[in-house]
Amino acid sequence: MIEERTTRSVARSKPAISSIHIRNFKRIHSVDIELGDITYLVGGNNSGKSSVLQAIHTGFSCAQLSLERGNRKNPVKALPEADLLYSPTAHFSDLGHSSPYRGPSTPDKGTIQFVPPTSSNHPEQRYTITLYKPRNHNNAGVELQGPDPIASAIADKATLFSVYVPGLTGIPLYEEYKSLGAILRTAAGGEANLVFRNILLQLEKQNRLPELERLVTRVLGKKARFTIDFDDDRSLYIDVKLALGRTNAIPVDLWGTGVLQVTQMFAYALLFQPTLFLIDEPDSHLHPSLQQTLAQAFEAIAKELECRIIITTHSRHMISAAPEGTRVVWLKDGQVADPDAREVTEILLDLGALDTFDATAKMVFYTEDAKDSSLREALKETESITVLSYDGVKNAPQVSQMNELMRALDRDASIVIHRDRDCLTDEEIDKWSRPYREAGIHVFIPRRTDTESYYCLPQYVAAAVDISEIEARRDLRECLRQHDDQLWNKFDSKRMDANRQFWKSGGSPRSEDLWNAWNSDGSMRHVYGKDLFRFLKHHYRNNPKRDRLGKQSSPELVKELRAFLDQISEF
């Protein structure tokens, strides 16, 4: 009961924010994000996830200083850049999406809008922060417009409207005492980890340490007891220890990563009482079990401390552990690709495809080839295809995963899975392909051993290095002769893999018979193309046009791929 009374006595009324609207800020062209109590932002690198958090916190930083230098009726519009508590760039005007910010009368401005819930009795009133570049050098321009509750929360000097944590980082070995004002300024600059011990000391002074212990105990499942030692008269540094369960208390710099991060989150939320808690990729370098623990901490913060949390992540574990009702917003190229993407995101993260997946594509082409392969070059010429990689045939996606992806997207798109032939027989190829075909997934397997084999064709080599096709055939025969043993060893290794996979009860064809048959029929199915291509490039090491090998698509592979695509769709 004491803990509950303490919570109520300190807590303040926070304005409700139902959505965030951001225009023209770093990677963001324009996004409208509906918020839940917990909102995850997902997407590939440079999709705009971090830009959303930075836009919110930059807007708060500018608005707070504007209100502090003036008042709610007459906020100051021109602010020295050096006085801003937070800015993600050294030059304020560079925050523009595609061009620098300019004056207030130009379209080259940024806007951050906080939108409260709407109802018939309370029409929508957005609190708008407009960012621009004023005439004065080294100044930031800001205009504010909107309802008082949000302005009051931003102007409150005892709290932070938004707390921005750019990755849950470590803490310094030593920490001197700082005033509450200095702590707030440091945290507002996105560096709360530098004053972590000071934050815990302030919580003790406010009699909120028992509440922190209760929250940490609840998530970690062991009784937490903090000990904070600091004397104004004799102490230089703040000493913080923690005992979990029956263990002895240990210094903060010896805590495990999970314990530290959970404590950080609760401590920041308790002291700063943010309306919006912004956390950038807390899962980085964190074990999956600890990621799930951190997700539980977010749930407790959202429920008990009444702040909305926005988190960027690449982790399926974080999203899977999130409570019911968590919003997952998928960003791509600075825009919202899907505003409610929890189910499809979990599948795409499993497949490692979130960075490159295009939800509007008519065909999903899954290939084991790397990004610079001949096959990928050929597919660039075809529209409405999203090309994904699964990095080697052993990591090929399961049929169930592909079906779940299409079901989650609620659309009928063709799915193609590609693998190299890899010295397999037609019977073995049929065995591997059957589960996919039976599920309605198309399988593309080139006639030659792998896509690199198509770079070794005489007509391709001749065109690439500017020699006659006769010379190219002669050079190919010479490479095959010189490296016969190496090519045989690779073929034999591939056949051993095939025998283990497809002939567990015996009866596999002899490697020597297949080698001789495929050597005599001209199919070259016995030669591993990746190795032969490497030998050819070395053979032409003194040819000035050697670097052209592999830089353009193989016409024969393109022709083979086109014929395959013509069979399954209208191109």
mmCIF file of all heavy atoms in Angstrom, residues 309-335:
data_model
loop_
_atom_site.group_PDB
_atom_site.id
_atom_site.type_symbol
_atom_site.label_atom_id
_atom_site.label_comp_id
_atom_site.label_asym_id
_atom_site.label_seq_id
_atom_site.Cartn_x
_atom_site.Cartn_y
_atom_site.Cartn_z
ATOM 1 N N ILE A 309 5.131 3.659 -25.409
ATOM 2 C CA ILE A 309 6.497 3.278 -25.745
ATOM 3 C C ILE A 309 6.575 3.008 -27.243
ATOM 4 O O ILE A 309 5.736 2.288 -27.802
ATOM 5 C CB ILE A 309 6.934 2.021 -24.965
ATOM 6 C CG1 ILE A 309 6.693 2.226 -23.458
ATOM 7 C CG2 ILE A 309 8.394 1.715 -25.227
ATOM 8 C CD1 ILE A 309 7.004 1.006 -22.631
ATOM 9 N N ILE A 310 7.577 3.585 -27.880
ATOM 10 C CA ILE A 310 7.834 3.344 -29.304
ATOM 11 C C ILE A 310 9.240 2.758 -29.409
ATOM 12 O O ILE A 310 10.214 3.368 -28.947
ATOM 13 C CB ILE A 310 7.728 4.632 -30.134
ATOM 14 C CG1 ILE A 310 6.392 5.332 -29.865
ATOM 15 C CG2 ILE A 310 7.862 4.314 -31.623
ATOM 16 C CD1 ILE A 310 6.259 6.678 -30.555
ATOM 17 N N ILE A 311 9.340 1.575 -30.010
ATOM 18 C CA ILE A 311 10.588 0.818 -30.025
ATOM 19 C C ILE A 311 10.929 0.444 -31.466
ATOM 20 O O ILE A 311 10.062 -0.040 -32.208
ATOM 21 C CB ILE A 311 10.453 -0.479 -29.199
ATOM 22 C CG1 ILE A 311 9.895 -0.179 -27.804
ATOM 23 C CG2 ILE A 311 11.778 -1.224 -29.112
ATOM 24 C CD1 ILE A 311 9.191 -1.357 -27.178
ATOM 25 N N THR A 312 12.164 0.648 -31.869
ATOM 26 C CA THR A 312 12.627 0.109 -33.147
ATOM 27 C C THR A 312 13.337 -1.210 -32.877
ATOM 28 O O THR A 312 14.028 -1.359 -31.868
ATOM 29 C CB THR A 312 13.593 1.073 -33.872
ATOM 30 O OG1 THR A 312 14.831 1.117 -33.162
ATOM 31 C CG2 THR A 312 13.006 2.463 -33.965
ATOM 32 N N THR A 313 13.172 -2.162 -33.780
ATOM 33 C CA THR A 313 13.774 -3.476 -33.543
ATOM 34 C C THR A 313 13.954 -4.235 -34.848
ATOM 35 O O THR A 313 13.263 -3.987 -35.846
ATOM 36 C CB THR A 313 12.912 -4.315 -32.580
ATOM 37 O OG1 THR A 313 13.593 -5.531 -32.271
ATOM 38 C CG2 THR A 313 11.560 -4.656 -33.186
ATOM 39 N N HIS A 314 14.913 -5.170 -34.824
ATOM 40 C CA HIS A 314 15.083 -6.164 -35.881
ATOM 41 C C HIS A 314 14.777 -7.564 -35.341
ATOM 42 O O HIS A 314 15.015 -8.559 -36.018
ATOM 43 C CB HIS A 314 16.523 -6.164 -36.405
ATOM 44 C CG HIS A 314 16.869 -4.971 -37.240
ATOM 45 N ND1 HIS A 314 16.501 -4.850 -38.561
ATOM 46 C CD2 HIS A 314 17.537 -3.837 -36.943
ATOM 47 C CE1 HIS A 314 16.942 -3.705 -39.048
ATOM 48 N NE2 HIS A 314 17.580 -3.068 -38.078
ATOM 49 N N SER A 315 14.265 -7.635 -34.123
ATOM 50 C CA SER A 315 14.177 -8.916 -33.422
ATOM 51 C C SER A 315 12.775 -9.505 -33.455
ATOM 52 O O SER A 315 11.814 -8.877 -32.997
ATOM 53 C CB SER A 315 14.616 -8.748 -31.964
ATOM 54 O OG SER A 315 14.304 -9.895 -31.204
ATOM 55 N N ARG A 316 12.684 -10.720 -33.945
ATOM 56 C CA ARG A 316 11.418 -11.445 -33.884
ATOM 57 C C ARG A 316 11.073 -11.787 -32.439
ATOM 58 O O ARG A 316 9.907 -11.832 -32.055
ATOM 59 C CB ARG A 316 11.510 -12.732 -34.704
ATOM 60 C CG ARG A 316 10.178 -13.463 -34.835
ATOM 61 C CD ARG A 316 10.386 -14.943 -35.074
ATOM 62 N NE ARG A 316 9.227 -15.575 -35.664
ATOM 63 C CZ ARG A 316 8.170 -16.007 -34.984
ATOM 64 N NH1 ARG A 316 8.113 -15.831 -33.686
ATOM 65 N NH2 ARG A 316 7.167 -16.588 -35.592
ATOM 66 N N HIS A 317 12.090 -12.052 -31.614
ATOM 67 C CA HIS A 317 11.852 -12.445 -30.224
ATOM 68 C C HIS A 317 11.163 -11.320 -29.457
ATOM 69 O O HIS A 317 10.286 -11.575 -28.626
ATOM 70 C CB HIS A 317 13.172 -12.819 -29.549
ATOM 71 C CG HIS A 317 13.937 -13.890 -30.262
ATOM 72 N ND1 HIS A 317 13.538 -15.208 -30.245
ATOM 73 C CD2 HIS A 317 15.057 -13.841 -31.030
ATOM 74 C CE1 HIS A 317 14.387 -15.928 -30.967
ATOM 75 N NE2 HIS A 317 15.312 -15.122 -31.442
ATOM 76 N N MET A 318 11.559 -10.086 -29.707
ATOM 77 C CA MET A 318 10.926 -8.955 -29.037
ATOM 78 C C MET A 318 9.451 -8.884 -29.403
ATOM 79 O O MET A 318 8.581 -8.701 -28.547
ATOM 80 C CB MET A 318 11.626 -7.648 -29.436
ATOM 81 C CG MET A 318 13.061 -7.520 -28.982
ATOM 82 S SD MET A 318 13.254 -7.116 -27.243
ATOM 83 C CE MET A 318 12.689 -5.439 -27.241
ATOM 84 N N ILE A 319 9.166 -9.027 -30.690
ATOM 85 C CA ILE A 319 7.780 -8.900 -31.155
ATOM 86 C C ILE A 319 6.936 -10.076 -30.678
ATOM 87 O O ILE A 319 5.791 -9.913 -30.251
ATOM 88 C CB ILE A 319 7.754 -8.777 -32.688
ATOM 89 C CG1 ILE A 319 8.427 -7.463 -33.099
ATOM 90 C CG2 ILE A 319 6.327 -8.835 -33.221
ATOM 91 C CD1 ILE A 319 8.621 -7.303 -34.579
ATOM 92 N N SER A 320 7.509 -11.269 -30.702
ATOM 93 C CA SER A 320 6.766 -12.457 -30.258
ATOM 94 C C SER A 320 6.405 -12.363 -28.782
ATOM 95 O O SER A 320 5.350 -12.852 -28.362
ATOM 96 C CB SER A 320 7.593 -13.722 -30.506
ATOM 97 O OG SER A 320 7.827 -13.907 -31.891
ATOM 98 N N ALA A 321 7.281 -11.736 -27.989
ATOM 99 C CA ALA A 321 7.052 -11.636 -26.548
ATOM 100 C C ALA A 321 6.176 -10.444 -26.177
ATOM 101 O O ALA A 321 5.784 -10.311 -25.015
ATOM 102 C CB ALA A 321 8.390 -11.526 -25.816
ATOM 103 N N ALA A 322 5.852 -9.587 -27.144
ATOM 104 C CA ALA A 322 5.055 -8.395 -26.852
ATOM 105 C C ALA A 322 3.623 -8.791 -26.503
ATOM 106 O O ALA A 322 3.098 -9.791 -27.008
ATOM 107 C CB ALA A 322 5.066 -7.453 -28.047
ATOM 108 N N PRO A 323 2.969 -8.021 -25.638
ATOM 109 C CA PRO A 323 1.609 -8.369 -25.215
ATOM 110 C C PRO A 323 0.587 -8.185 -26.335
ATOM 111 O O PRO A 323 0.858 -7.528 -27.352
ATOM 112 C CB PRO A 323 1.336 -7.388 -24.072
ATOM 113 C CG PRO A 323 2.224 -6.226 -24.359
ATOM 114 C CD PRO A 323 3.456 -6.802 -24.979
ATOM 115 N N GLU A 324 -0.565 -8.777 -26.152
ATOM 116 C CA GLU A 324 -1.671 -8.616 -27.091
ATOM 117 C C GLU A 324 -2.004 -7.138 -27.228
ATOM 118 O O GLU A 324 -2.020 -6.390 -26.253
ATOM 119 C CB GLU A 324 -2.897 -9.382 -26.583
ATOM 120 C CG GLU A 324 -3.994 -9.559 -27.608
ATOM 121 C CD GLU A 324 -3.629 -10.552 -28.688
ATOM 122 O OE1 GLU A 324 -2.788 -11.429 -28.422
ATOM 123 O OE2 GLU A 324 -4.187 -10.442 -29.789
ATOM 124 N N GLY A 325 -2.273 -6.711 -28.442
ATOM 125 C CA GLY A 325 -2.606 -5.309 -28.673
ATOM 126 C C GLY A 325 -1.426 -4.451 -29.057
ATOM 127 O O GLY A 325 -1.605 -3.283 -29.407
ATOM 128 N N THR A 326 -0.212 -4.997 -28.992
ATOM 129 C CA THR A 326 0.966 -4.242 -29.427
ATOM 130 C C THR A 326 0.869 -3.949 -30.916
ATOM 131 O O THR A 326 0.559 -4.830 -31.716
ATOM 132 C CB THR A 326 2.245 -5.035 -29.136
ATOM 133 O OG1 THR A 326 2.387 -5.197 -27.726
ATOM 134 C CG2 THR A 326 3.474 -4.322 -29.687
ATOM 135 N N ARG A 327 1.136 -2.711 -31.292
ATOM 136 C CA ARG A 327 1.130 -2.356 -32.710
ATOM 137 C C ARG A 327 2.521 -2.583 -33.288
ATOM 138 O O ARG A 327 3.536 -2.289 -32.646
ATOM 139 C CB ARG A 327 0.734 -0.896 -32.910
ATOM 140 C CG ARG A 327 -0.706 -0.589 -32.545
ATOM 141 C CD ARG A 327 -1.093 0.790 -33.052
ATOM 142 N NE ARG A 327 -1.089 0.842 -34.509
ATOM 143 C CZ ARG A 327 -2.114 0.463 -35.276
ATOM 144 N NH1 ARG A 327 -3.217 -0.017 -34.721
ATOM 145 N NH2 ARG A 327 -2.037 0.554 -36.586
ATOM 146 N N VAL A 328 2.558 -3.113 -34.505
ATOM 147 C CA VAL A 328 3.815 -3.289 -35.225
ATOM 148 C C VAL A 328 3.667 -2.572 -36.563
ATOM 149 O O VAL A 328 2.828 -2.950 -37.386
ATOM 150 C CB VAL A 328 4.155 -4.773 -35.441
ATOM 151 C CG1 VAL A 328 5.451 -4.909 -36.238
ATOM 152 C CG2 VAL A 328 4.279 -5.496 -34.103
ATOM 153 N N VAL A 329 4.460 -1.533 -36.759
ATOM 154 C CA VAL A 329 4.389 -0.713 -37.968
ATOM 155 C C VAL A 329 5.621 -0.993 -38.817
ATOM 156 O O VAL A 329 6.754 -0.878 -38.341
ATOM 157 C CB VAL A 329 4.315 0.788 -37.614
ATOM 158 C CG1 VAL A 329 4.259 1.637 -38.884
ATOM 159 C CG2 VAL A 329 3.098 1.056 -36.732
ATOM 160 N N TRP A 330 5.378 -1.355 -40.061
ATOM 161 C CA TRP A 330 6.464 -1.717 -40.983
ATOM 162 C C TRP A 330 6.785 -0.496 -41.842
ATOM 163 O O TRP A 330 5.930 0.018 -42.561
ATOM 164 C CB TRP A 330 6.007 -2.900 -41.829
ATOM 165 C CG TRP A 330 6.964 -3.363 -42.868
ATOM 166 C CD1 TRP A 330 8.264 -3.017 -43.038
ATOM 167 C CD2 TRP A 330 6.675 -4.307 -43.910
ATOM 168 N NE1 TRP A 330 8.819 -3.674 -44.102
ATOM 169 C CE2 TRP A 330 7.869 -4.473 -44.656
ATOM 170 C CE3 TRP A 330 5.541 -5.024 -44.274
ATOM 171 C CZ2 TRP A 330 7.933 -5.319 -45.756
ATOM 172 C CZ3 TRP A 330 5.610 -5.876 -45.370
ATOM 173 C CH2 TRP A 330 6.796 -6.029 -46.096
ATOM 174 N N LEU A 331 8.046 -0.026 -41.750
ATOM 175 C CA LEU A 331 8.508 1.115 -42.533
ATOM 176 C C LEU A 331 9.408 0.651 -43.669
ATOM 177 O O LEU A 331 10.178 -0.307 -43.525
ATOM 178 C CB LEU A 331 9.286 2.096 -41.655
ATOM 179 C CG LEU A 331 8.508 2.769 -40.511
ATOM 180 C CD1 LEU A 331 9.430 3.667 -39.709
ATOM 181 C CD2 LEU A 331 7.325 3.561 -41.037
ATOM 182 N N LYS A 332 9.294 1.342 -44.788
ATOM 183 C CA LYS A 332 10.132 1.027 -45.949
ATOM 184 C C LYS A 332 10.346 2.318 -46.737
ATOM 185 O O LYS A 332 9.380 3.000 -47.085
ATOM 186 C CB LYS A 332 9.463 -0.026 -46.830
ATOM 187 C CG LYS A 332 10.336 -0.556 -47.971
ATOM 188 C CD LYS A 332 9.577 -1.616 -48.745
ATOM 189 C CE LYS A 332 10.396 -2.170 -49.910
ATOM 190 N NZ LYS A 332 11.553 -2.947 -49.463
ATOM 191 N N ASP A 333 11.613 2.654 -46.978
ATOM 192 C CA ASP A 333 11.962 3.845 -47.751
ATOM 193 C C ASP A 333 11.312 5.111 -47.189
ATOM 194 O O ASP A 333 10.818 5.964 -47.934
ATOM 195 C CB ASP A 333 11.567 3.667 -49.225
ATOM 196 C CG ASP A 333 12.296 2.512 -49.882
ATOM 197 O OD1 ASP A 333 13.464 2.269 -49.509
ATOM 198 O OD2 ASP A 333 11.706 1.845 -50.748
ATOM 199 N N GLY A 334 11.297 5.236 -45.878
ATOM 200 C CA GLY A 334 10.802 6.447 -45.254
ATOM 201 C C GLY A 334 9.297 6.608 -45.251
ATOM 202 O O GLY A 334 8.788 7.699 -44.975
ATOM 203 N N GLN A 335 8.560 5.525 -45.519
ATOM 204 C CA GLN A 335 7.110 5.575 -45.516
ATOM 205 C C GLN A 335 6.574 4.316 -44.843
ATOM 206 O O GLN A 335 7.295 3.334 -44.666
ATOM 207 C CB GLN A 335 6.562 5.694 -46.941
ATOM 208 C CG GLN A 335 7.043 6.945 -47.674
ATOM 209 C CD GLN A 335 6.418 7.092 -49.044
ATOM 210 O OE1 GLN A 335 5.244 7.380 -49.189
ATOM 211 N NE2 GLN A 335 7.233 6.885 -50.059
#
